[in-house]
Amino acid sequence: MSAQANREEMSAQENRVMALSEWEDRWQAGKTGFHRSEVHNLLESNLDKVVCGRNEVRFFFPLCGKAIDMKWLADMGHTVVGVEISEKGIKQFFAEQNLAFNEEPVPAIPGAKVFKSTDGTISIYQCDLYKFSSTVGGKFGGIWDRGALVAINPCDRQKYATLLMSLMNNDCRYLVDTLEYNPELYKGPPFFVSEEDVKNVFGGGCDIELLESVDAFEKKHKSWGLDSLTEKMYLLTPKAQ
Ligand code: SAH
């Protein structure tokens, strides 16, 4: 796509803003069509790329929802930290995965809570992602970003990328899933994110490799008014210092 075309497509969505309360409304109304009942195919196919032979990787899941991939990685011996604004979503995760949990306040973030599985493998912070930091949750060896970069408001992308890069250990491997479609036809979320967008916000701190590009068009996308949709998986690694 030309830079010109990309600018025009971006402009169709760049001012779209979803308030946190709108996400909560979706959880309350059960409108969670983004949730998948199976492990994500692109996490499975790229697992080796993100784990890279390491044991007990500390994974970060921004905007985690109730993704079952958290349990899947924990069952392999990794640990997972997620951030999600909806308490309802977090409680559904623990209930659906049959995991006992404890709930604690987070002194560093007024109003926030952390929900921890009693086996200690999964912690989910209930707060606005932008309040989270490495001071609160440490740094990570792996990041799974599905329904996160594409879900945040387009105007917040640089802020988001700067935060995510601040959470990466030197050996961190970060998988980011993006969607490409005609943004004139659907207002999002999920938003259209091009390769150029990924490079613009992460290129300063990370090397970026396109791992997979798949036709992910399904029946539901037709009802969004789309006629095609491509899912792209990138691997981000910190630039050598
Ligand atoms: N990654 C999950 C959920 C994707 S939907 C999955 O793949 O299934 C995006 C999620 O992010 C929603 O559950 C929404 O409640 C949450 N969310 C949106 N903005 C947020 C923010 N600023 N801070 C924390 N959570 C947020």
Side-chain angles (χ1 to χ4, degrees):
M1 180 187 307
S2 72
Q4 166 89 31
N6 189 42
R7 266 197 305 280
E8 280 164 11
E9 296 202 329
M10 249 322 282
S11 65
Q13 295 187 332
E14 70 188 342
N15 296 320
R16 170 115 166 92
V17 171
M18 278 272 288
L20 284 177
S21 59
E22 291 178 71
W23 285 107
E24 182 59 27
D25 293 346
R26 287 191 181 197
W27 279 100
Q28 292 300 336
K31 289 188 183 156
T32 52
F34 49 79
H35 178 70
R36 297 169 70 109
S37 52
E38 278 162 21
V39 171
H40 199 284
N41 54 311
L42 296 179
L43 177 58
E44 258 186 308
S45 60
N46 292 290
L47 183 68
D48 291 352
K49 291 257 166 60
V50 66
V51 170
C52 210
R54 298 170 297 171
N55 293 318
E56 297 178 26
V57 176
R58 247 189 123 232
F59 271 94
F60 184 59
F61 273 57
L63 277 53
C64 60
K66 54 174 181 173
I68 70 167
D69 314 273
M70 294 191 276
K71 173 80 165 40
W72 190 64
L73 290 171
D75 285 344
M76 282 177 211
H78 305 301
T79 54
V80 176
V81 173
V83 176
E84 167 56 51
I85 192 65
S86 173
E87 179 164 336
K88 182 164 189 173
I90 297 172
K91 288 193 164 158
Q92 280 181 13
F93 170 77
F94 287 105
E96 290 172 9
Q97 301 306 320
N98 279 312
L99 287 170
F101 65 94
N102 296 313
E103 195 177 319
E104 295 165 19
V106 181
I109 311 175
K113 285 191 251 183
V114 57
F115 294 76
K116 292 185 181 169
S117 63
T118 47
D119 67 5
T121 58
I122 302 174
S123 304
I124 305 181
Y125 286 79
Q126 190 251 320
C127 64
D128 182 356
L129 177 76
Y130 304 109
K131 302 244 164 75
F132 188 80
S133 66
S134 59
T135 316
V136 176
K139 293 202 180 200
F140 297 90
I143 301 178
W144 172 244
D145 181 326
R146 184 268 171 182
L149 177 62
V150 297
I152 55 148
N153 295 321
C155 59
D156 289 331
R157 278 185 196 156
Q158 187 60 65
K159 181 168 78 166
Y160 175 87
T162 302
L163 170 64
L164 270 283
M165 289 192 283
S166 77
L167 300 175
M168 296 172 83
N169 264 329
N170 288 342
D171 70 345
C172 185
R173 302 177 70 82
Y174 176 172
L175 290 178
V176 58
D177 186 54
T178 65
L179 299 172
E180 292 186 13
Y181 59 84
N182 181 349
E184 305 283 344
L185 301 177
Y186 180 64
K187 65 187 169 115
F191 299 108
F192 162 86
V193 176
S194 69
E195 180 159 1
E196 194 184 333
D197 296 329
V198 176
K199 286 183 176 157
N200 279 343
V201 294
F202 287 104
C206 290
D207 290 323
I208 300 165
E209 184 189 347
L210 174 64
L211 298 178
E212 271 192 83
S213 174
V214 298
D215 175 0
F217 187 75
E218 291 172 20
K219 214 159 76 197
K220 75 168 176 190
H221 302 125
K222 204 167 187 154
S223 70
W224 296 0
L226 299 181
D227 43 20
S228 71
L229 178 129
T230 304
E231 189 169 10
K232 288 190 178 170
M233 178 64 54
Y234 300 90
L235 175 68
L236 312 185
T237 48
K239 281 197 162 126
Q241 290 162 15

